[in-house]
Amino acid sequence: MDLSSAECEDFFRNTAVPEHFAETSSDISQFVTKHNEVGRKIVLVTSGGTTVPLESRTVRYIDNFSVGTRGSVSAEEFLKRGYAVIFLHRLRSLEPFSRHLGNVIDMFTITPDGQVSVKSEYTCVVASCVTQYESVKKNGTLLRVTFTSVHEYLHLLRVCSQCLQVMGSKVMLYLAAAVSDFHIPASQMPEHKIQSSDGDLTLTLQLVPKMLKPLVKNWLPQAFIVSFKLETDSHLLIEKSRKALLAYKHQLVVANLLDKRKTEVVLVTMTTEQPIVLLPDEQAAGKEIEEKIVCELTKYHSEFCENSV
Ligand code: 9Z3
């Protein structure tokens, strides 16, 4: 569905803003101003799945598989390369640094004198995470913003984009979140819990407005924008990635298949296809494919910035 400016405005007017929206918007704006002033590049990383609520006082919702690995690992990689990161992620999905700390309660023990201490087998991983996290906190280079529903996600994506407009080409969008294609518009959602006593439930979901179009055209026309294309059928992947580039006119699509997403992706532009593969020995050594993806994308972005001045 192509979206006119009026339809876009209608969607946002008719869809409730997330809780604490004014405060979050102000945090984003301050973060952008601070890093823009010192000339630091900013990346907006979106991560995790969006829910589709079935009731406005939500008891039930539709969800998807994404746990936020792609986004959280990539955020760490961008931070390592000197970017400031707005990490727009699904509440309780994986986050940079803490993602390494599995089941936290297993990591602690109580010493005979009653002190809490980290078990010896975990000290290395805890020390490494805490050191990296402390350094990022000291530099103020990571801003975490959360969403749950697809409606909250879109409101926050728009406000982040509006705040980032001042950055021109020095901003990258890395849209790795698994955003639902279907939803129930706020105006058609029942307020209260759907009653099972009413019998079988038939749902009609509508297409979520494709916000990538206004995003590229109006919200952030100068930015370097990377979207992700997820398919399960390998025959469709590249063709659909190109179709997205044609439709939205952004810079790059990271194409991935559901079951190979941790070891293979293709960086697709209008004229090139660059496969990125994590080799078995790299995998065995604990390397993650996001290191390679982010390394390549930062090169594309530098070139994009040079050509934009
Ligand atoms: C992706 O394709 C991400 O790589 C994954 C990462 C969601 C597969 P995890 O969070 O998974 O590490 O578990 N994200 C984008 C998926 C998406 O919704 N794309 C849409 C599409 O393919 C619109 S841009 O049409």
Side-chain angles (χ1 to χ4, degrees), residues 99-309:
R99 74 183 176 94
H100 300 275
L101 302 179
N103 188 6
V104 177
I105 197 143
D106 265 346
M107 298 185 154
F108 297 111
T109 185
I110 307 293
T111 60
D113 58 347
Q115 302 292 309
V116 176
S117 100
V118 175
K119 288 181 191 160
S120 57
E121 62 267 41
Y122 295 117
T123 47
C124 263
V125 64
V126 172
S128 155
C129 292
V130 173
T131 308
Q132 291 177 67
Y133 182 63
E134 290 290 324
S135 146
V136 161
K137 248 179 37 186
K138 188 165 140 260
N139 298 331
T141 42
L142 176 63
L143 179 70
R144 284 140 60 204
V145 180
T146 59
F147 60 82
T148 300
S149 71
V150 61
H151 295 165
E152 289 170 356
Y153 167 81
L154 291 172
H155 270 291
L156 291 163
L157 179 66
R158 183 170 71 150
V159 77
C160 286
S161 304
Q162 287 163 343
C163 293
L164 286 164
Q165 225 171 52
V166 292
M167 299 283 303
S169 61
K170 287 180 70 178
V171 63
M172 184 190 313
L173 261 63
Y174 184 88
L175 304 172
V179 181
S180 175
D181 283 325
F182 305 101
H183 76 146
I184 300 178
S187 59
Q188 293 173 28
M189 227 187 275
E191 180 184 352
H192 291 287
K193 183 184 169 213
I194 298 167
Q195 295 298 313
S196 61
S197 53
D198 295 341
D200 292 353
L201 176 63
T202 305
L203 295 171
T204 303
L205 302 177
Q206 294 188 10
L207 280 173
V208 171
K210 294 279 185 208
M211 292 295 173
L212 200 49
K213 195 146 204 175
L215 193 164
V216 177
K217 196 164 165 226
N218 306 322
W219 305 348
L220 280 175
Q222 293 174 293
F224 185 75
I225 298 180
V226 177
S227 73
F228 281 68
K229 175 57 70 187
L230 174 70
E231 292 295 340
T232 50
D233 179 348
S234 61
H235 297 103
L236 296 177
L237 190 61
I238 303 300
E239 178 198 326
K240 294 206 57 183
S241 302
R242 283 261 152 69
K243 225 169 136 189
L245 287 169
L246 263 178
Y248 307 122
K249 315 230 176 315
H250 57 307
Q251 284 66 39
L252 195 142
V253 173
V254 180
N256 55 179
L257 290 170
L258 183 65
D259 50 4
K260 292 189 180 157
R261 68 188 190 279
K262 290 180 194 264
T263 51
E264 285 179 35
V265 303
V266 185
L267 306 186
V268 185
T269 70
M270 271 322 273
T271 50
T272 59
E273 278 166 38
Q274 180 183 354
I276 297 200
V277 179
L278 190 68
L279 302 169
D281 56 334
E282 293 175 320
Q283 232 178 315
K287 190 167 171 146
E288 291 162 298
I289 194 166
E290 287 76 12
E291 184 180 336
K292 293 181 156 194
I293 301 174
V294 170
C295 176
E296 287 309 307
L297 289 181
T298 53
K299 290 186 212 156
Y300 278 97
H301 188 203
S302 294
E303 204 177 310
F304 178 80
C305 290
E306 278 162 29
N307 293 333
S308 303
V309 285

Side-chain angles (χ1 to χ4, degrees), residues 38-91:
V38 295
R40 189 174 282 125
K41 287 178 184 161
I42 301 186
V43 60
L44 170 66
V45 174
T46 71
S47 182
T50 57
T51 66
V52 176
L54 305 189
E55 303 118 343
S56 50
R57 300 194 196 196
T58 309
V59 174
R60 302 189 185 90
Y61 53 83
I62 299 171
D63 206 348
N64 66 50
F65 70 95
S66 167
V67 292
T69 306
R70 178 79 85 222
S72 57
V73 183
S74 303
E76 287 177 15
E77 293 298 328
F78 280 113
L79 288 162
K80 271 189 211 157
R81 289 170 173 77
Y83 278 73
V85 176
I86 301 176
F87 185 62
L88 176 57
H89 66 289
R90 164 77 177 276
L91 186 68

